[in-house]
Amino acid sequence: MNAYADVFLRSVAAILLLLLIAKMLGKQTVSNMTFLDFVTGITLGSIAGNLAFNLKIKAIYMVLALIVTGVTSLLLAVVALKNRKLRSWISGSPTVLVEGGKILEGNMKKVRYTLDSLDQALREQGIFNIDEAEYVVFEDNGMLSVLKKDDYQVATKKDLKLQVKELSFPVELVMDGLLLERNLAMNGLTKEWLERELARRGKRLSDVFYAVRGTHRQLFFDYYEDRIQQPIDKE
């Protein structure tokens, strides 16, 4: 087989196999990764790269390696789900960095986390003064979870005894100018209802680029003609 055609076919096969394995392993693999996800991602990427470009190795060997790696990762994920002790070794476990407002230096050293990194991560969550934090937990996916002290927590509607309105999940009605009829039907809405709402605004369905019914059942429309004379990001 021509070398160019061989590389082309192997590259396509690598992408399709990686996509298939990623779907099999689930969303966690492509979100904030645990130890297992990190190792799996690196291994799969390395094998897929060899499958695509290393013509010295038979493609079938690389395909087999991808399948074995994917299945092994899936089995380890199942084991971690069912066995709590093994889960901490396979996926990692949370580490408390701040408890009761006190920095735990021992835990910081244990996970090799510096004060500079702690300050930066807190700033990313809008906390510029470390004394605002009551608890800080270094999660097994590398993210920080922070519980602020009572004095610095945001008041909720319940705290202020305000009336709470019922919320609903947002429903997209039009996407890229296309009517999402399935979303309408699943939520008891009709095309005629949408057209009436648009008519009240002096618009037609063909004018709409994006439409969504929000959490308070309010309607938001974005039209093709925004009537913005000088866009800020104009190139």
Side-chain angles (χ1 to χ4, degrees):
M1 182 185 293
N2 182 280
Y4 293 105
D6 194 15
V7 169
F8 174 79
L9 292 175
R10 290 169 67 120
S11 299
V12 171
I15 291 294
L16 293 177
L17 281 170
L18 279 178
L19 182 60
L20 179 62
I21 293 172
K23 294 282 287 183
M24 179 182 71
L25 295 177
K27 295 180 180 179
Q28 174 64 28
T29 307
V30 294
S31 62
N32 296 320
M33 296 189 295
T34 62
F35 290 153
L36 175 60
D37 301 320
F38 177 73
V39 171
T40 300
I42 290 178
T43 305
L44 289 176
S46 177
I47 296 173
N50 277 284
L51 170 59
F53 304 113
N54 193 341
L55 303 183
K56 295 180 181 179
I57 305 177
K58 290 184 179 181
I60 188 63
Y61 295 161
M62 294 293 98
V63 171
L64 180 60
L66 278 174
I67 294 173
V68 171
T69 302
V71 171
T72 302
S73 179
L74 181 60
L75 291 175
L76 286 173
V78 172
V79 170
L81 186 65
K82 295 183 177 296
N83 190 305
R84 185 176 179 84
K85 291 183 178 179
L86 289 177
R87 185 189 313 161
S88 63
W89 183 81
I90 294 172
S91 300
S93 58
T95 302
V96 179
L97 303 181
V98 175
E99 181 176 349
K102 307 294 184 181
I103 299 174
L104 304 181
E105 296 85 355
N107 285 359
M108 296 273 290
K109 291 179 180 178
K110 181 180 177 181
V111 296
R112 293 180 292 281
Y113 205 78
T114 66
L115 283 172
D116 289 334
S117 298
L118 178 61
D119 287 337
Q120 178 183 339
L122 289 175
R123 287 195 297 270
E124 290 173 352
Q125 298 201 30
I127 300 174
F128 283 75
N129 299 308
I130 197 170
D131 62 348
E132 295 180 17
E134 181 73 13
Y135 285 92
V136 177
V137 180
F138 190 34
E139 304 291 358
D140 54 15
N141 61 8
M143 305 296 290
L144 282 190
S145 297
V146 182
L147 175 65
K148 291 184 178 180
K149 294 178 179 177
D150 283 342
D151 292 344
Y152 299 101
Q153 290 189 21
V154 178
T156 64
K157 288 185 177 181
K158 184 177 180 180
D159 294 330
L160 300 176
K161 298 182 179 180
L162 297 177
Q163 182 179 1
V164 180
K165 296 181 180 179
E166 182 181 356
L167 299 179
S168 60
F169 197 82
V171 180
E172 291 176 329
L173 308 173
V174 177
M175 178 78 72
D176 296 325
L178 299 176
L179 182 66
L180 304 181
E181 296 184 10
R182 185 169 179 269
N183 283 6
L184 288 170
M186 289 178 61
N187 291 275
L189 306 174
T190 64
K191 178 181 178 182
E192 291 72 25
W193 165 80
L194 184 59
E195 289 176 334
R196 287 196 300 270
E197 291 293 334
L198 285 167
R200 290 171 51 194
R201 295 163 172 79
K203 296 289 184 179
R204 295 179 299 176
L205 193 56
S206 58
D207 298 325
V208 181
F209 174 70
Y210 177 71
V212 61
R213 190 182 72 173
T215 55
H216 294 292
R217 298 183 180 272
Q218 78 280 17
L219 290 174
F220 170 80
F221 295 101
D222 185 82
Y223 308 108
Y224 282 104
E225 296 294 335
D226 290 319
R227 302 184 183 279
I228 298 177
Q229 301 299 322
Q230 295 182 336
I232 294 175
D233 197 28
K234 186 176 181 179
E235 296 183 358

